Amino acid sequence: MKTHRQGLAANWRSFLHLAAFFLGLTLGAQAAQAAPTGTGAYEAALPAELATAKDMCALLPCQDVFPGAKSFSERLGSPPYVKALGEADKLLGYVMLSTDITDTPAYSGKPVVTLIGMDLTGHFVGIKVLKHSEPILLLGIPESALLKFNDQYLGKSVADKIEVGQTRPDENVLGVDAISGATVTVIAQNQVLMASGQAVAKQVGILAPTVRDPARYAQTERRFDWAQLVKLGAVQRLRVSPEQVGLPRGPEPFVELWFGDLNHPAIGASLMGASNWANLRSRMKESEHAFFIIRTAGIESFKGSGFVRGGIYDRVQVKQGADSFTFRDLDYLNLYGLEAAGAPEFNESAIFIIRSKAFSAAYPWQLALLGNRVDRATGARSFANFDSKYWLAAELLEGGRPVVVEADAPWVRVWKTRAVEIGLFIALLLGVTVVYALREKLTRLSTHKNKWPVNAFKYTAWGLSIVFVGFGAMAQPSITQVLTWFHSLLFQWTWSLFLSDPFIFVFWIFIIVTVFLFGRGLFCGWMCPFGSLSEAIYKVGEKIGLKRFQGHLPHAWHHRLKWLKYAIFFGLLVISMFSMGLAEKLAEVEPFKTTFLVGITNRAWPYGLFVATLLGLSLFIERPYCKYICPLGAALAMPSTFRWFGLKRKQDCNSCKACAVGCGSLAIDAAGRIDHRECLHCLDCMILYTDTKGCPPLAKERKRRERDGLLITPIGRDGYFIPIQPIQPNAMSEKVALGPDPRMPTDPVAPAHKADAQGLKWIWAELFDHLWPWHKDSWKSQKALQIAGFSLALAATLAWVLAGSGRLSQSAIIAWWFGWSVYEVLIRLAGKRYVKDGPWWQGHYRRASVMDMLSYVGFKNLLIGAALFLALKASGLMLA
């Protein structure tokens, strides 16, 4: 009883320490956020009426971006801008809001809302970031860095060709310096500043307007019904659901619009009838263009409830390239009906006329519906732009569609501008993978006294990881990326988000592949910049005379503390389901940003002290952060349970302690088994595996052969001397022979229902095993647990049905799924306590530890949950 109470007390102490740790991180993160940062624009609240207010400068600090102005006009033009006026209303220049013109997303997937001032010659005179959602500018890089980046544009012209990177005079390119670690953000900001400035400059005459060749329509007498027009792409749909604008989900969309070209004779006559279309053309000039909009569902008016005669229709715009076109009352005509067979009923309609010569129907354009989105959690309103692309089919244009070269997406530009470095990085990762795959050849060339055949490659990988990957490319993977991947897999996968940082993207491909091939150790032990720095410091300490002070924590403490990193990982994962922002703040438990991305000297002292403490401990304890704190290591350790290829063991390892004594990561237990979740792949045990002088069983056999005058043969794959003649009974002791098999992490298991299963029977057995956690034998001893499980399974199924009907949120589904997963772990431990070891198509089963089962159930249910979420999303049933 006393031991039990002591165990409970130890558990409570660990829990309290963890709680205090997270509380400290939270307070530190809040203090960092509260500290002056230069702009304070992270998720700043903007006026709710900003998107539609005529007097924009009454709501925004326009004086900050045009200091010499005495007053500002109301919004003018399309896209909107305001005039900056001096004494006697003298025109000095223009002020624009970036989101009035472009909603180019930054790394966070949201635009950086920027106020921009431009003089009469098209030169930038002021730039102010009003709001951004970039987490790296919250806790990593200070917002002042973005301010300094924007300052580089002051005095430069919108007519200049400005790019992030080096100046290239031969190409007339002006370069601006990037923000280290925020390349995607600044490339997006460059596009925002240039697109906004050029759009207004063209409108007010500073720059020549874009000239597009007018459309030449292919002549045809064919008439189309509605279904044919839809198939041809001649009519397009723009549908906005209530949840997209922060409203409760309902059976009807927020608005559903259909729109299309009316200038093409065949399309216009098909939609309106020949006489009505001829009448429309008679009312238009040759250079003018007509298109129609109808509302077929929803309660939102695309015309806008605030429209008055002489005003503009502020809910709809047409965008073509950098040009935007809005519509006044004089640009509106009534559309009384559609004559195309099968056309839907509608409750609102309009014909709008584009009168600008810059527009051409031969080129792609977009219909944009403008409005506000309400955050259901906070009630905050933000600018929203919903659009749908339109481009006449090639067969409707004489000569087909023109060639259109669109600006590269920000992530594409990053890949292009850093192609050489990315290529070198890929080569490094491939080289490390190949070297590690050939590890057995290297370890056979090494001995416990000469490890350089292995260490030469390993130390080179450390050096490159620290210098090139960490401080150079700043490509330190982080737990925040795991959380982002987790959320994206469940809710909305966006390739551009992951492609926007090429080094991290490539690194994660390497990590995922190698974790399932070899376990976490190749990344954590060889290529993690911080891990490499930590162990390099330990090695340096050894060389400068600190070896006598170096050592490990007592095994009892080690085996308690190693679970801390898993607790931190699961804590961050759970917190992220409720607040990704809070999880990002708590992820400061990682020292990576401070070490590589920002620098100790550029952060508040608690962050620097944390890093200095970890690196200082690394002088005396090998990789303390990696072993006990790293949530990224914990996240990678779980799939390492199912690595295909482990490190080699032999039967004698269950009694010989040589490898365990020398294991820096303390990953070898008393039975000689390797815990691949903890192993960092230093390969010292693999060197001993074939070392005839270092491995005690081999040394003993070598001495016997030398004494008896027998041939010293090479070491076989099983770790023993290759016999060349019939041998006597195995010399190993009965205790060793009958002891645990160190080649398996746990004792082997043979599930009876899978014996001799082949073909379809094997596939069915596999599916049954993964989807049905109950076991018939458990009914005899744990009926209550079994019944509770069926009840929970029915409840979880009901939860999915409710989600499908739109009556349960994603958070509730995750809570149910998490509860079910916890139960599944318990029920499998009670009846099906085994997991597969090695490649999935093989049949090597072993007894599952609690961590084995947590890893298996967690990973399996993540994939099943993602598949169910995607299915519900695809069917349009999942509540946002």
Side-chain angles (χ1 to χ4, degrees), residues 112 115 122 303 307 322 434 443 445 449 547 604 664 669 696 759 787 812-813:
V112 175
L115 196 64
K303 296 179 181 179
F307 173 77
V434 170
T443 56
L445 295 173
K449 292 185 177 181
K547 186 173 183 179
D669 65 14
I787 293 172
I813 283 294

Side-chain angles (χ1 to χ4, degrees), residues 198-474:
Q198 290 172 359
V200 173
K202 290 176 182 178
Q203 191 177 166
V204 299
I206 297 174
L207 296 179
T210 302
V211 177
R212 300 180 179 91
D213 294 332
R216 297 193 305 274
Y217 300 118
Q219 299 300 315
T220 177
E221 297 298 324
R222 184 182 176 189
R223 295 294 177 264
F224 303 95
D225 60 28
W226 185 262
Q228 291 170 330
L229 290 168
V230 172
K231 185 177 180 180
L232 193 61
V235 293
Q236 295 287 343
R237 184 175 70 161
L238 172 58
R239 190 179 193 275
V240 180
S241 60
E243 56 265 33
Q244 287 180 279
V245 293
L247 298 176
R249 179 174 180 167
E252 289 292 318
F254 177 70
V255 66
E256 181 181 72
L257 306 177
W258 288 91
F259 65 98
D261 179 275
L262 286 178
N263 272 39
H264 193 287
I267 297 175
S270 298
L271 287 167
M272 301 181 65
S275 60
N276 289 334
W277 181 77
N279 182 49
L280 171 65
R281 289 303 306 160
S282 68
R283 301 172 64 180
M284 296 166 54
K285 296 179 181 178
E286 186 65 28
S287 61
E288 295 176 344
H289 190 92
F291 70 98
F292 81 96
I293 308 178
I294 59 172
R295 184 183 71 192
T296 54
I299 58 174
E300 180 69 6
S301 169
F302 66 81
K303 296 179 181 179
S305 57
F307 173 77
V308 294
R309 182 168 297 279
I312 66 170
Y313 291 90
D314 57 9
R315 297 291 179 87
V316 291
Q317 281 185 359
V318 165
K319 297 182 178 182
Q320 191 167 55
D323 298 318
S324 297
F325 309 96
T326 53
F327 307 100
R328 301 176 54 209
D329 59 338
L330 298 177
D331 304 321
Y332 167 84
L333 297 173
N334 288 319
L335 174 67
Y336 296 104
L338 294 174
E339 295 193 13
E345 295 183 358
F346 54 86
N347 47 26
E348 189 175 38
S349 63
I351 296 173
F352 287 113
I353 311 298
I354 302 173
R355 304 190 189 277
S356 172
K357 295 181 179 180
F359 181 86
S360 170
Y363 292 80
W365 53 276
Q366 291 177 314
L367 176 70
L369 179 70
L370 311 178
N372 286 301
R373 180 189 291 111
V374 179
D375 188 311
R376 295 172 64 181
T378 64
R381 300 170 70 90
S382 60
F383 175 80
N385 188 328
F386 307 98
D387 51 52
S388 182
K389 187 175 180 179
Y390 188 96
W391 197 358
L392 282 173
E395 63 192 80
L396 298 175
L397 294 169
E398 194 175 288
R401 288 173 169 175
V403 176
V404 176
V405 180
E406 297 184 355
D408 290 331
W411 69 266
V412 175
R413 297 182 66 184
V414 175
W415 282 77
K416 287 182 176 180
T417 56
R418 308 195 70 179
V420 174
E421 298 118 290
I422 295 168
L424 291 173
F425 185 49
I426 292 173
L428 171 61
L429 297 179
L430 289 175
V432 170
T433 305
V434 170
V435 167
Y436 187 80
L438 299 174
R439 63 192 178 281
E440 190 168 350
K441 295 183 182 295
L442 295 176
T443 56
R444 284 177 178 269
L445 295 173
S446 306
T447 68
H448 70 293
K449 292 185 177 181
N450 178 24
K451 300 177 182 178
W452 277 104
V454 169
N455 287 348
F457 287 102
K458 185 167 62 176
Y459 292 171
T460 300
W462 288 357
L464 291 172
S465 175
I466 296 168
V467 177
F468 174 56
V469 180
F471 289 108
M474 299 183 181

Side-chain angles (χ1 to χ4, degrees), residues 3-125:
T3 303
H4 179 66
R5 286 197 298 270
Q6 290 173 340
L8 288 176
N11 290 339
W12 271 107
R13 284 196 297 271
S14 298
F15 173 77
L16 291 174
H17 290 162
L18 181 62
F21 181 75
F22 270 102
L23 179 61
L25 281 177
T26 304
L27 294 176
Q30 290 174 343
Q33 188 177 11
T37 56
T39 62
Y42 181 78
E43 291 293 4
L46 297 178
E49 65 275 20
L50 179 58
T52 56
K54 289 186 176 181
D55 192 357
M56 181 183 78
C57 291
L59 304 174
L60 298 178
C62 295
Q63 193 77 33
D64 290 356
V65 298
F66 217 114
K70 302 298 182 182
S71 62
F72 299 91
S73 72
E74 293 184 342
R75 271 186 170 116
L76 304 167
S78 175
Y81 63 90
V82 301
K83 293 180 178 179
L85 306 172
E87 298 290 349
D89 288 341
K90 180 182 178 182
L91 179 62
L92 301 178
Y94 309 94
V95 174
M96 64 214 78
L97 181 65
S98 64
T99 48
D100 279 347
I101 301 165
T102 177
D103 55 356
T104 300
Y107 185 75
S108 64
K110 299 178 181 179
V112 175
V113 184
T114 309
L115 196 64
I116 305 164
M118 179 180 69
D119 66 17
L120 295 175
T121 62
H123 290 80
F124 293 106
V125 296

Side-chain angles (χ1 to χ4, degrees), residues 676-742:
H676 287 277
R677 285 185 291 267
E678 301 299 319
C679 176
L680 299 179
H681 292 199
C682 66
L683 298 184
D684 285 356
C685 63
M686 285 289 289
I687 291 173
L688 281 178
Y689 185 76
T690 56
D691 186 354
T692 59
K693 294 182 179 180
C695 175
L698 290 182
K700 179 180 178 182
E701 174 64 9
R702 177 184 56 79
K703 291 176 182 178
R704 185 187 72 82
R705 292 193 176 203
E706 288 175 345
R707 184 184 66 245
D708 296 342
L710 300 175
L711 183 66
I712 305 297
T713 58
I715 305 301
R717 294 180 62 84
D718 61 357
Y720 295 104
F721 287 100
I722 298 174
I724 59 174
Q725 57 188 11
I727 58 174
Q728 297 176 351
N730 198 319
M732 72 175 63
S733 68
E734 183 178 353
K735 180 181 178 181
V736 171
L738 299 178
D741 184 354

